[in-house]
Structures are given as C-alpha cells and as structure tokens.
Short mmCIF file of all heavy atoms in Angstrom, two decimals:
data_model
loop_
_atom_site.label_atom_id
_atom_site.label_comp_id
_atom_site.label_asym_id
_atom_site.label_seq_id
_atom_site.Cartn_x
_atom_site.Cartn_y
_atom_site.Cartn_z
N ALA A 1 31.61 61.62 69.26
CA ALA A 1 31.03 62.07 70.53
C ALA A 1 29.51 62.08 70.42
O ALA A 1 28.96 62.57 69.45
CB ALA A 1 31.53 63.47 70.89
N GLY A 2 28.82 61.57 71.44
CA GLY A 2 27.39 61.53 71.48
C GLY A 2 26.70 62.89 71.57
O GLY A 2 25.58 63.10 71.17
N ASP A 3 27.48 63.88 72.10
CA ASP A 3 26.89 65.21 72.29
C ASP A 3 27.31 66.21 71.19
O ASP A 3 27.09 67.39 71.30
CB ASP A 3 27.27 65.75 73.66
CG ASP A 3 28.79 65.94 73.83
OD1 ASP A 3 29.58 65.48 72.95
OD2 ASP A 3 29.19 66.55 74.84
N ALA A 4 27.85 65.65 70.07
CA ALA A 4 28.31 66.52 68.97
C ALA A 4 27.08 67.14 68.29
O ALA A 4 26.13 66.45 67.97
CB ALA A 4 29.12 65.74 67.98
N GLU A 5 27.15 68.42 68.01
CA GLU A 5 26.08 69.12 67.35
C GLU A 5 26.30 69.13 65.84
O GLU A 5 27.44 68.90 65.38
CB GLU A 5 25.95 70.54 67.89
CG GLU A 5 25.52 70.55 69.33
CD GLU A 5 25.19 71.96 69.81
OE1 GLU A 5 25.15 72.91 69.01
OE2 GLU A 5 24.95 72.06 71.02
N LEU A 6 25.23 69.45 65.10
CA LEU A 6 25.32 69.53 63.68
C LEU A 6 26.23 70.70 63.24
O LEU A 6 26.22 71.75 63.89
CB LEU A 6 23.96 69.75 63.02
CG LEU A 6 22.93 68.59 63.22
CD1 LEU A 6 21.60 68.99 62.55
CD2 LEU A 6 23.47 67.27 62.66
N MET A 7 26.94 70.50 62.16
CA MET A 7 27.70 71.54 61.54
C MET A 7 26.72 72.34 60.64
O MET A 7 25.61 71.89 60.40
CB MET A 7 28.83 70.94 60.71
CG MET A 7 29.84 70.18 61.56
SD MET A 7 30.99 69.17 60.60
CE MET A 7 31.87 70.44 59.71
N PRO A 8 27.07 73.51 60.13
CA PRO A 8 26.13 74.27 59.27
C PRO A 8 25.66 73.42 58.08
O PRO A 8 24.48 73.49 57.77
CB PRO A 8 26.99 75.47 58.82
CG PRO A 8 27.93 75.68 59.97
CD PRO A 8 28.28 74.30 60.44
N ALA A 9 26.51 72.60 57.49
CA ALA A 9 26.05 71.75 56.38
C ALA A 9 25.06 70.75 56.89
O ALA A 9 24.08 70.37 56.18
CB ALA A 9 27.23 71.05 55.73
N GLY A 10 25.19 70.25 58.12
CA GLY A 10 24.28 69.28 58.69
C GLY A 10 22.90 69.93 58.96
O GLY A 10 21.85 69.24 58.81
N ILE A 11 22.88 71.18 59.31
CA ILE A 11 21.61 71.89 59.49
C ILE A 11 20.88 71.96 58.15
O ILE A 11 19.63 71.74 58.07
CB ILE A 11 21.81 73.28 60.14
CG1 ILE A 11 22.32 73.09 61.61
CG2 ILE A 11 20.58 74.11 60.09
CD1 ILE A 11 22.80 74.35 62.26
N GLU A 12 21.57 72.25 57.09
CA GLU A 12 21.01 72.31 55.75
C GLU A 12 20.49 70.92 55.34
O GLU A 12 19.39 70.82 54.77
CB GLU A 12 22.01 72.83 54.73
CG GLU A 12 22.36 74.26 54.90
CD GLU A 12 23.43 74.74 53.93
OE1 GLU A 12 23.70 74.05 52.92
OE2 GLU A 12 24.06 75.78 54.24
N GLN A 13 21.24 69.86 55.63
CA GLN A 13 20.78 68.54 55.29
C GLN A 13 19.54 68.15 56.07
O GLN A 13 18.64 67.50 55.54
CB GLN A 13 21.93 67.54 55.62
CG GLN A 13 23.16 67.71 54.70
CD GLN A 13 24.43 67.15 55.28
OE1 GLN A 13 24.53 66.87 56.49
NE2 GLN A 13 25.40 66.89 54.42
N ALA A 14 19.47 68.56 57.32
CA ALA A 14 18.28 68.25 58.10
C ALA A 14 17.05 68.97 57.58
O ALA A 14 15.97 68.39 57.50
CB ALA A 14 18.55 68.66 59.56
N ALA A 15 17.23 70.24 57.19
CA ALA A 15 16.09 70.98 56.62
C ALA A 15 15.61 70.34 55.31
O ALA A 15 14.43 70.24 55.07
CB ALA A 15 16.51 72.45 56.38
N SER A 16 16.57 69.86 54.57
CA SER A 16 16.23 69.16 53.26
C SER A 16 15.46 67.89 53.54
O SER A 16 14.46 67.59 52.88
CB SER A 16 17.52 68.91 52.47
OG SER A 16 17.21 68.20 51.30
N ALA A 17 15.89 67.16 54.56
CA ALA A 17 15.17 65.95 54.95
C ALA A 17 13.79 66.24 55.37
O ALA A 17 12.85 65.55 55.01
CB ALA A 17 15.92 65.16 56.08
N GLY A 18 13.63 67.30 56.11
CA GLY A 18 12.27 67.74 56.55
C GLY A 18 11.39 68.09 55.35
O GLY A 18 10.20 67.75 55.33
N SER A 19 11.97 68.77 54.36
CA SER A 19 11.21 69.06 53.14
C SER A 19 10.72 67.81 52.45
O SER A 19 9.60 67.75 51.92
CB SER A 19 12.05 69.93 52.19
OG SER A 19 12.31 71.17 52.73
N ILE A 20 11.59 66.83 52.42
CA ILE A 20 11.21 65.52 51.75
C ILE A 20 10.09 64.85 52.56
O ILE A 20 9.11 64.39 52.00
CB ILE A 20 12.43 64.63 51.65
CG1 ILE A 20 13.40 65.18 50.63
CG2 ILE A 20 12.04 63.20 51.28
CD1 ILE A 20 14.78 64.56 50.61
N LEU A 21 10.24 64.80 53.85
CA LEU A 21 9.25 64.10 54.72
C LEU A 21 7.91 64.81 54.65
O LEU A 21 6.87 64.16 54.55
CB LEU A 21 9.74 64.04 56.13
CG LEU A 21 10.95 63.16 56.44
CD1 LEU A 21 11.53 63.39 57.80
CD2 LEU A 21 10.49 61.66 56.30
N ILE A 22 7.91 66.13 54.64
CA ILE A 22 6.69 66.87 54.65
C ILE A 22 6.11 67.02 53.22
O ILE A 22 4.92 66.81 53.05
CB ILE A 22 6.94 68.28 55.32
CG1 ILE A 22 7.29 68.04 56.79
CG2 ILE A 22 5.73 69.15 55.13
CD1 ILE A 22 7.93 69.24 57.42
N GLY A 23 6.97 67.29 52.28
CA GLY A 23 6.52 67.51 50.86
C GLY A 23 6.17 66.22 50.15
O GLY A 23 5.06 66.05 49.68
N ARG A 24 7.14 65.29 50.03
CA ARG A 24 6.94 64.11 49.28
C ARG A 24 6.10 63.03 50.01
O ARG A 24 5.26 62.39 49.36
CB ARG A 24 8.30 63.46 48.92
CG ARG A 24 8.13 62.28 48.01
CD ARG A 24 9.44 61.55 47.67
NE ARG A 24 10.53 62.46 47.32
CZ ARG A 24 11.77 62.12 47.39
NH1 ARG A 24 12.16 60.91 47.70
NH2 ARG A 24 12.71 62.96 47.03
N PHE A 25 6.27 62.90 51.29
CA PHE A 25 5.57 61.87 52.02
C PHE A 25 4.41 62.38 52.84
O PHE A 25 3.77 61.60 53.54
CB PHE A 25 6.56 61.10 52.90
CG PHE A 25 7.64 60.42 52.13
CD1 PHE A 25 8.97 60.77 52.29
CD2 PHE A 25 7.38 59.47 51.18
CE1 PHE A 25 9.98 60.16 51.61
CE2 PHE A 25 8.35 58.82 50.47
CZ PHE A 25 9.71 59.17 50.68
N ALA A 26 4.12 63.68 52.77
CA ALA A 26 2.97 64.31 53.39
C ALA A 26 2.88 64.03 54.88
O ALA A 26 1.79 63.87 55.43
CB ALA A 26 1.67 63.84 52.70
N LEU A 27 3.99 64.00 55.54
CA LEU A 27 3.98 63.91 57.00
C LEU A 27 3.79 65.28 57.62
O LEU A 27 4.13 66.27 57.01
CB LEU A 27 5.29 63.23 57.49
CG LEU A 27 5.53 61.87 57.01
CD1 LEU A 27 6.93 61.38 57.38
CD2 LEU A 27 4.52 60.92 57.55
N LEU A 28 3.25 65.31 58.77
CA LEU A 28 3.02 66.59 59.43
C LEU A 28 4.10 66.87 60.47
O LEU A 28 4.55 65.96 61.15
CB LEU A 28 1.63 66.58 60.14
CG LEU A 28 0.45 66.25 59.24
CD1 LEU A 28 -0.80 66.15 60.12
CD2 LEU A 28 0.28 67.33 58.23
N GLN A 29 4.48 68.17 60.59
CA GLN A 29 5.51 68.51 61.57
C GLN A 29 5.05 68.22 63.00
O GLN A 29 5.85 68.06 63.86
CB GLN A 29 5.91 69.94 61.40
CG GLN A 29 6.71 70.17 60.13
CD GLN A 29 7.02 71.64 59.90
OE1 GLN A 29 6.18 72.49 60.11
NE2 GLN A 29 8.23 71.91 59.46
N ALA A 30 3.76 68.13 63.21
CA ALA A 30 3.23 67.82 64.51
C ALA A 30 3.35 66.32 64.83
O ALA A 30 3.13 65.89 65.96
CB ALA A 30 1.78 68.24 64.62
N ASP A 31 3.65 65.49 63.83
CA ASP A 31 3.77 64.07 64.08
C ASP A 31 4.90 63.78 65.05
O ASP A 31 5.92 64.45 65.12
CB ASP A 31 4.11 63.31 62.77
CG ASP A 31 2.91 63.22 61.81
OD1 ASP A 31 1.80 63.53 62.30
OD2 ASP A 31 3.11 62.86 60.65
N HIS A 32 4.71 62.77 65.86
CA HIS A 32 5.68 62.31 66.85
C HIS A 32 6.69 61.45 66.10
O HIS A 32 6.31 60.56 65.35
CB HIS A 32 4.95 61.52 67.95
CG HIS A 32 5.73 61.43 69.19
ND1 HIS A 32 5.69 62.37 70.20
CD2 HIS A 32 6.64 60.49 69.60
CE1 HIS A 32 6.49 62.00 71.17
NE2 HIS A 32 7.09 60.88 70.84
N VAL A 33 8.00 61.66 66.35
CA VAL A 33 9.03 60.87 65.67
C VAL A 33 9.94 60.23 66.70
O VAL A 33 9.91 60.61 67.88
CB VAL A 33 9.84 61.79 64.67
CG1 VAL A 33 8.97 62.32 63.59
CG2 VAL A 33 10.60 62.87 65.40
N ALA A 34 10.74 59.28 66.23
CA ALA A 34 11.72 58.61 67.03
C ALA A 34 13.13 59.12 66.72
O ALA A 34 13.41 59.39 65.58
CB ALA A 34 11.63 57.08 66.83
N THR A 35 13.98 59.23 67.77
CA THR A 35 15.36 59.59 67.53
C THR A 35 16.27 58.65 68.33
O THR A 35 15.83 58.05 69.27
CB THR A 35 15.68 61.04 67.92
OG1 THR A 35 15.68 61.16 69.34
CG2 THR A 35 14.72 62.04 67.28
#
C-alpha cells in the first residue's frame, strides 16, 4: 500500500539513515531532499 506508514523498526532505520547522512556525509537537515 502506498499509504503504509513506518513500523517502529522503520522509524529507527530512518533515524539511523539520518545520522549517516548528517554525520558521515555532512549534509544539513535544512537541505531539500527528494522522495
């Protein structure tokens, strides 16, 4: 389903991806992204 939300594990995975993008690749949370 296109409207399916993240499960609790998915929220953790997303936060981890954010840490990688911000920490390792020095991207800013204010950056505009594509989804």
Side-chain angles (χ1 to χ4, degrees):
D3 62 351
E5 294 190 7
L6 296 179
M7 298 169 63
I11 292 170
E12 290 175 20
Q13 292 159 341
S16 178
S19 294
I20 291 168
L21 291 167
I22 294 161
R24 185 183 314 161
F25 299 117
L27 298 172
L28 303 175
Q29 289 176 318
D31 287 347
H32 199 89
V33 299
T35 72

